[in-house]
Amino acid sequence: MSHRLAVIGYGGMGSWHVENVREKIPSLEVKGIFDVRQEACDKAKENGLFVYSSKEQLLADPEVDLVTIAVPNNFHKPLVIECLRAGKNVICEKPVALNAAELEDMIAVSKETGRLFSIHQNRRWDKDYAIIKKMVREELLGKPYFIESRVLGSRGSMHGWRGYRVNGGGMVLDWGVHLIDQLLDMIDSPVVSVDSHLIHVFGGEVDDSIKVFLRFENGLSAMCEMSTNCFINQPRWHVSCTDGTAVIEDWACNGKMVKLNTEAEMEWADDIVYTEAGPTRTMAPRPKETTLELPLPEVQTDWSDYYKNILAVLDGEVELIVRPEQALRVMKVIDAVFEADRLNCGVHCHI
């Protein structure tokens, strides 16, 4: 079945959606775009796109059955609801809302209209995440108990509208929503406590360097760190498990797993060992023969699989992968992140 897409908002992400669909999703035709900014419309025309003269013209186009919304965060809710009520299926950029209450209203309208509604959580298809998810789900290093997930940069600013509170800017809603979504997708257990340190180094109105701590009911803990002012990056992922440790250093997925060698002789003298740190038993280096260094597991993934899933859902072939109910859970955790920072203490919950 053929489908036609229109995109509302032709900025950085809106233009990315258009080019990604044109390049990788031949079964989905980009019918046109709408943007309130003349410069964005001019750029779209230069790129050979049809530009709707108004939002109403786009919504009235009977050929368009799918709309992607890629505008500042504070406009998501009204646009999603308008598109759904106009009979369109809707993809909304992340974060889908400013808080959980807004998203609950959007979900209610999607159920009322019976139209598809999904959130562009494309980073579930990141290779680094897919590797860690496979490792955790299959317990390749035993049971995980602490996961560290980091995205670190050094430009010292939130770009454009992301630097303004009214637009829903800040690092929590920009990158935090991705990293929290990954953790909730990967870990099959409720979140029972949330703590956060939201720092305003250069952001003024919004957080630009953050740490978020999650504890899950199954005993696993996780930490997400995001910064715009880090000049020496730490690993993208560091995962501690009962039988080993995994690290992914960067977006290129350089890394390794170090696993307990169960076939090696595990007895060693309980003597004090003299190291550069001084005499120690507890922190003495483990004998090399008691561990195995292994490559990271192989995975195949691509961001375009998100749109392929949307089209297959519209054709009645598969179930939706990124569901609004999952996004609602993420937004409830984000609400708790802001509350924990406001109270300057952890928040107990069951999300």
Side-chain angles (χ1 to χ4, degrees), residues 117-340:
F117 173 38
S118 183
I119 298 85
H120 189 237
Q121 290 288 0
N122 58 308
R123 293 197 175 274
R124 291 196 199 176
W125 283 266
D126 280 3
K127 184 177 180 180
D128 61 281
Y129 169 63
I131 289 170
I132 293 298
K133 182 178 179 180
K134 179 179 177 67
M135 191 208 75
V136 167
R137 287 285 184 89
E138 297 181 10
E139 296 189 354
L140 300 182
L141 298 176
K143 290 190 177 296
Y145 58 86
F146 192 69
I147 297 176
E148 300 172 55
S149 173
R150 292 182 173 88
V151 173
L152 304 171
S154 59
R155 292 198 173 193
S157 66
M158 299 298 300
H159 180 70
W161 59 262
R162 291 172 178 82
Y164 297 94
R165 186 182 300 275
V166 68
N167 294 130
M171 190 56 74
V172 172
L173 291 173
D174 188 33
W175 270 98
V177 67
H178 275 310
L179 272 56
I180 292 170
D181 178 75
Q182 288 178 338
L183 289 171
L184 299 193
D185 179 59
M186 174 169 50
I187 302 167
D188 186 20
S189 182
V191 176
V192 294
S193 72
V194 177
D195 200 355
S196 59
H197 300 172
L198 309 185
I199 302 170
H200 306 242
V201 181
F202 303 108
E205 297 182 8
V206 300
D207 49 279
D208 55 21
S209 295
I210 70 175
K211 291 187 179 182
V212 173
F213 304 87
L214 306 180
R215 184 182 295 275
F216 293 82
E217 191 174 62
N218 65 2
L220 194 154
S221 294
M223 188 272 287
C224 300
E225 180 180 5
M226 291 134 278
S227 174
T228 63
N229 194 49
C230 180
F231 294 87
I232 302 175
N233 285 355
Q234 297 183 69
R236 170 70 185 89
W237 293 91
H238 189 281
V239 182
S240 300
C241 305
T242 54
D243 297 335
T245 304
V247 64
I248 296 181
E249 297 289 350
D250 48 35
W251 296 108
C253 296
N254 295 302
K256 62 184 177 182
M257 299 189 298
V258 176
K259 185 177 184 179
L260 187 68
N261 182 3
T262 56
E263 296 182 1
E265 175 60 51
M266 298 302 292
E267 294 183 6
W268 55 78
D270 194 27
D271 297 332
I272 290 177
V273 177
Y274 291 87
T275 70
E276 291 185 0
T280 180
R281 288 190 180 95
T282 304
M283 293 302 169
R286 174 182 282 276
K288 188 174 181 180
E289 66 273 13
T290 65
T291 62
L292 299 171
E293 185 172 311
L294 304 171
L296 297 168
E298 292 292 329
V299 297
Q300 296 296 325
T301 186
D302 191 287
W303 278 2
S304 64
D305 290 342
Y306 173 84
Y307 267 101
K308 291 174 183 176
N309 173 252
I310 295 293
L311 298 183
V313 172
L314 292 177
D315 291 340
E317 298 171 354
V318 298
E319 295 294 320
L320 187 63
I321 293 177
V322 183
R323 303 188 304 276
E325 294 76 14
Q326 294 173 326
L328 181 59
R329 187 174 172 227
V330 172
M331 292 310 305
K332 287 180 178 179
V333 170
I334 286 177
D335 285 352
V337 166
F338 287 122
E339 180 70 1

Side-chain angles (χ1 to χ4, degrees), residues 8 34 52-61 78-79 82-83:
I8 297 179
F34 170 70
Y52 290 95
S53 61
S54 67
K55 175 183 59 181
E56 289 71 24
Q57 183 189 19
L58 183 155
L59 295 180
D61 188 343
L79 283 174
E82 279 189 85
C83 290

